[in-house]
Amino acid sequence: MDPRLGSALFVLVGPAVELVIGPWALTGLRVGDDLPAALQPLGVVLIVAGVAMLVDAYIRFAREGVGTPSPLAPPRRLVVSGVYRFTRHPMYVATTIALVGEALLLRQAILLVAAAAYGLTLAALVHWWEEPQLRRRFGETVKTR
């Protein structure tokens, strides 16, 4: 499968669930009153930043890694440029940032709780499963970040 197509399809499964279906299930995507309205502009900034980071990460996975985010067609090369210079898991960071942004934009505290649970779950996944997998696949080129 072409990595660009695979990455595009994976967006429909991963971030679409995390950033659209999950928040919709929790809030109906309705604006609440749990958080101050003054935070809504910051929410927009966080959503835009998170989505931009996510798009950059997906493009780099396809172009430089020659693969997709899916475990079924993982990248053949370790990606270390762009947002990957700062974190090995920018897709997780980006979706967490965007989810916090949605919480602020929709003024729904439940989405802050969801973002915290999501981030902690992914941190555990990274520590206990993904990092050991990366070290096995790419050896010493994988540095702890």
Side-chain angles (χ1 to χ4, degrees), residues 72-138:
L72 301 175
R76 289 182 235 147
R77 292 190 297 257
L78 186 66
V79 180
V80 294
S81 66
V83 294
Y84 287 92
R85 287 179 298 166
F86 307 105
T87 176
R88 190 167 11 264
H89 304 283
M91 294 177 210
Y92 298 158
V93 172
T95 49
T96 303
I97 288 169
L99 191 52
V100 169
E102 285 181 298
L104 299 180
L105 179 63
L106 296 175
R107 299 176 60 202
Q108 295 275 3
I110 189 69
L111 292 180
L112 289 177
V113 173
Y118 176 77
L120 290 171
T121 300
L122 291 175
L125 174 73
V126 163
H127 180 75
W128 299 107
W129 188 74
E130 286 193 358
E131 289 296 319
Q133 292 290 328
L134 284 171
R135 280 191 290 283
R136 279 194 283 283
R137 285 188 64 218
F138 298 110

